[in-house]
Amino acid sequence: GQQVMQIPQYQHVQEGEDFTTYCNSSTTLSNIQWYKQRPGGHPVFLIQLVKSGEVKKQKRLTFQFGEAKKNSSLHITATQTTDVGTYFCAAVDAGGTSYGKLTFGQGTILTVHP
Amino acid sequence: DGGITQSPKYLFRKEGQNVTLSCEQNLNHDAMYWYRQDPGQGLRLIYYSQIVNDFQKGDIAEGYSVSREKKESFPLTVTSAQKNPTAFYLCASSIGEGAEAFFGQGTRLTVV
C-alpha cells in the first residue's frame, strides 16, 4: 500500500532561521496537502498541490510538488515563534483501489527558540 | 456555526470495555475519516467513508468498528480487541476525495 515518509521528525531552529520539511511517497500522487497542528490542537489545512512541479507561496511559506508527483516540500523563511507546531503532509493516491484514502506522513515537529 | 464536533474531549474506560467516540458534522460533507495519533507517529488512518452506508478499512482498522448510517455522523467504536487503545483520536470530513479535510477537536481516550 501507499507509504508516505516525512523527514525530519524533529527540527529545532533559532528564530529567524529557515526551516524545510520533506515528504516522499512510494506511489504517484493525485495531489498532496499540507497541515499544521499547534501543540494541543488539531490539524489545520494549509494548502493543496495538484500539478506536477507546482510551487505555491503563502507569505513566508513555500510549497513545492515534485515533477514526478511523488514528493513535496514545505519551506518556511525566517521562522517566528508562531510557526511552532507539527507540520504534516497528506497524500491522495492516484491509483483507483484506494478511492478517497487520505494518508498522512509522520509529521515534523518544529521548535523555534527565541 | 458549521463544523465538525467530537465528543467527549476526554474519555476514561476500564480495560476490556468497548467505547464509542462520537463524530458529527454539519458541513454537508460526503467523506469522513477517523485517525489515531500517538506521540511521534503522526496520524494513522483507522477507517474512512466516502458515502453513506459505505466505509473502508484504513491502515490500522483491527480492533475498531464504524458505521455510516447518516451523512452527518461517523461514530467509532474501540473494542476490547484493540490491544493498545489509549491515544488521541481525530475525526475529519471533506467534501469529497482529495479535498481539504476539516478536523474535529479530538477525543483523548485513556484505558486503565
Side-chain angles (χ1 to χ4, degrees):
Chain A
Q2 178 191 87
Q3 291 189 8
V4 180
M5 304 299 294
Q6 194 174 347
I7 57 170
Q9 188 174 357
Y10 302 95
Q11 186 76 60
H12 297 260
V13 300
Q14 289 294 131
E15 191 172 17
E17 291 182 340
D18 292 355
F19 158 75
T20 304
T21 174
Y22 300 90
C23 185
N24 293 286
S25 169
S26 56
T27 59
T28 303
L29 301 174
S30 171
N31 71 65
I32 196 157
Q33 302 169 13
W34 285 92
Y35 293 77
K36 176 183 178 181
Q37 183 178 25
R38 294 184 185 274
H42 59 278
V44 174
F45 176 83
L46 293 175
I47 208 158
Q48 177 176 272
L49 304 171
V50 178
K51 299 177 184 176
S52 168
E54 190 170 16
V55 178
K56 287 189 176 180
K57 293 192 175 186
Q58 286 181 351
K59 297 183 180 178
R60 296 178 293 105
L61 277 61
T62 302
F63 305 84
Q64 287 190 296
F65 201 9
E67 294 290 340
K69 300 185 76 173
K70 285 188 168 185
N71 58 77
S72 181
S73 65
L74 158 59
H75 179 83
I76 302 178
T77 304
T79 54
Q80 300 174 358
T81 54
T82 52
D83 294 326
V84 163
T86 303
Y87 292 85
F88 293 100
C89 61
V92 179
D93 204 331
T97 57
S98 300
Y99 175 73
K101 188 178 181 183
L102 186 62
T103 302
F104 279 74
Q106 299 94 325
T108 296
I109 300 172
L110 173 63
T111 303
V112 179
H113 300 283
Chain B
D1 263 349
I4 180 164
T5 303
Q6 288 186 247
S7 61
K9 191 172 182 180
Y10 298 96
L11 191 54
F12 295 87
R13 278 293 182 270
K14 290 186 178 179
E15 196 173 330
Q17 290 181 333
N18 291 356
V19 59
T20 297
L21 280 58
S22 168
C23 180
E24 303 278 332
Q25 55 99 358
N26 60 5
L27 300 166
N28 200 31
H29 285 172
D30 284 317
M32 296 188 76
Y33 310 84
W34 273 106
Y35 292 91
R36 170 181 172 141
Q37 186 171 30
D38 296 282
Q41 294 201 46
L43 303 176
R44 292 186 289 167
L45 183 63
I46 305 173
Y47 270 97
Y48 62 109
S49 168
Q50 293 297 305
I51 198 167
V52 174
N53 291 322
D54 188 38
F55 49 82
Q56 289 75 41
K57 292 182 179 179
D59 300 312
I60 56 163
E62 186 175 349
Y64 299 98
S65 66
V66 292
S67 63
R68 188 85 188 275
E69 296 176 1
K70 297 186 300 181
K71 189 175 186 177
E72 305 79 30
S73 179
F74 192 41
L76 173 74
T77 297
V78 185
T79 75
S80 56
Q82 169 49 232
K83 297 281 186 270
N84 185 19
T86 294
F88 188 47
Y89 291 88
L90 285 158
C91 180
S93 71
S94 74
I95 198 165
E97 182 197 5
E100 170 188 355
F102 293 80
F103 282 83
Q105 300 291 320
T107 293
R108 195 167 296 278
L109 173 65
T110 303
V111 176
V112 296

